[in-house]
Amino acid sequence: MFKRYQIRDYDFKLVLLLIAITIFGILVVGSANESVQSRQVLGLVLGLVVLIITSFIDYCFILNFYWLLYFLNIILLLSVRLFGVEVNGAQRWLIIAGIQFQPSETAKILLILFFAAFIMKYKESLNTVRTLGLLIVFFLPPLWLVYDQPNLSMTLILIAIFSSILFVGGLSYKIVLGVLSVILPSAVILLVLILQPDSDIILGYQQNRILSWLQPEKYATTEGYQQQNSVTAIGSGMLSGKGLNNNEVSSVKNGNFISEPQTDFIFTIVGEELGFIGCCAVIILLSLITIECLLIGRKAKDLAGTLICTGMASWVGFQTFVNIGVATALLPTTGLTLPFVSYGLTSLVSLFMGMGVVLNIGLQSRKY
């Protein structure tokens, strides 16, 4: 379970990047909603404890229990369906011993660990119909349970993580090109069908979000209200912003132009209060974390280590892109948070747990 490690192999650079972006997030969350700032500080403390402990546990030992991790994930997601708490029309949270947490966040790290172990075990037969079929079969139940909460945005992130792990795991380029040749035109056809007035492929509010993104002027006072205000607010921050904790009535937080700005639209607060400089700082820090995960994965001693690092890099990278894309109107509105920056204890602790595994992989990396 525990091994002897050389402290010089510990990736303190990654740790410093994680602390820096999380402290940045605490400051911005406090400005957006001061009442939850202390809980975000608690999330950092808990996250660091989990990070340190996890970083010294041999990840190979953890992967020995990959089936247990898979079924634990299924149980948690099923519990949400059976006993979950509904908030704003979505049933995504569990309350255990007075603590509320979101199993769809822990699902990401648990699935990364499971598929890393599974693909490494069957890497020689990865491109066979049987192995690919099993991978899809094991992926569909947790995917459906997350989608049915409903949580379409988290479903898409899980697909992105799964696809990245599968590709790096050795999926044949022929299969990749074949799948893309089917998926891309199918996606266009699906989008056209979704946008039909009588379509019931997705929920009504999801369809309206897509329509408000395509026709912002038409939905400027309804579904597109928050996104348009977000773009305006980010632009108003100009180079250096209006300053944290400002009292300007016209700001999005003080004027209540965006609901829950400490979560999905936290990048709006960054842009408005810290300006272009603050936005660049967030993007650079999250990009460096993503790149560092990939670099550690490149030196991993085995395929499982590489896949875990790839999964974590995909998680941070894709979710960052989507969150910022929504805040800047590049993408339709979703309910995704900005990693390490948005308020949310489950998300923060899950991310630190995953990064702890990445650090352990770095401690056991190949020496050149």
Side-chain angles (χ1 to χ4, degrees), residues 4-12 296 359-365 367:
R4 283 180 168 271
Y5 301 111
Q6 297 293 329
I7 196 65
R8 66 172 179 270
D9 295 327
Y10 205 85
D11 196 333
F12 290 103
I296 293 173
L359 287 169
N360 184 262
I361 293 168
L363 284 171
Q364 302 185 57
S365 63
K367 304 298 185 294

Side-chain angles (χ1 to χ4, degrees), residues 110-317:
L110 293 176
L111 286 176
I112 288 171
L113 294 172
F114 171 77
F115 285 115
F118 189 92
I119 291 174
M120 187 177 74
K121 184 175 180 179
Y122 296 99
K123 60 183 177 181
E124 300 300 331
S125 61
L126 177 63
N127 292 294
T128 63
V129 174
R130 179 179 180 276
T131 302
L132 288 175
L134 285 173
L135 283 166
I136 294 172
V137 166
F138 292 135
F139 182 56
L140 287 178
L143 188 72
W144 170 254
L145 289 170
V146 171
Y147 173 78
D148 196 49
Q149 292 179 355
N151 199 340
L152 177 60
S153 54
M154 191 71 75
T155 302
L156 296 176
I157 292 298
L158 288 176
I159 292 173
I161 293 172
F162 176 71
S163 301
S164 300
I165 292 175
L166 201 56
F167 177 73
V168 174
L171 187 65
S172 170
Y173 283 95
K174 293 180 180 180
I175 296 177
V176 173
L177 293 175
V179 171
L180 288 177
S181 66
V182 174
I183 287 181
L184 293 180
S186 298
V188 174
I189 295 172
L190 180 62
L191 179 61
V192 172
L193 293 175
I194 285 173
L195 296 179
Q196 298 303 310
D198 57 346
S199 172
D200 58 357
I201 298 174
I202 59 176
L203 298 176
Y205 80 91
Q206 295 170 338
Q207 183 187 51
N208 289 336
R209 286 179 174 182
I210 297 175
L211 288 170
S212 67
W213 172 62
L214 295 172
Q215 306 172 36
E217 298 82 8
K218 184 177 178 180
Y219 293 85
T221 59
T222 53
E223 282 81 4
Y225 180 73
Q226 289 199 104
Q227 197 168 48
Q228 292 305 305
N229 286 338
S230 173
V231 174
T232 302
I234 292 173
S236 71
M238 294 188 285
L239 180 63
S240 57
K242 302 173 182 177
L244 285 173
N245 305 300
N246 70 79
N247 295 316
E248 291 191 25
V249 178
S250 60
S251 68
V252 292
K253 64 169 187 181
N254 295 322
N256 293 320
F257 298 120
I258 291 179
S259 61
E260 305 293 333
Q262 72 273 14
T263 54
D264 304 346
F265 282 93
I266 193 69
F267 192 75
T268 305
I269 306 301
V270 174
E272 184 180 48
E273 301 194 346
L274 299 174
F276 180 74
I277 295 174
C279 291
C280 286
V282 168
I283 293 171
I284 290 171
L285 284 171
L286 289 170
S287 297
L288 289 175
I289 290 170
T290 302
I291 293 170
E292 193 66 21
C293 287
L294 292 174
L295 291 175
I296 293 173
R298 187 179 180 185
K299 298 178 181 179
K301 69 177 185 179
D302 57 22
L303 179 61
T306 300
L307 296 181
I308 292 170
C309 292
T310 298
M312 289 305 302
S314 300
W315 179 356
V316 175

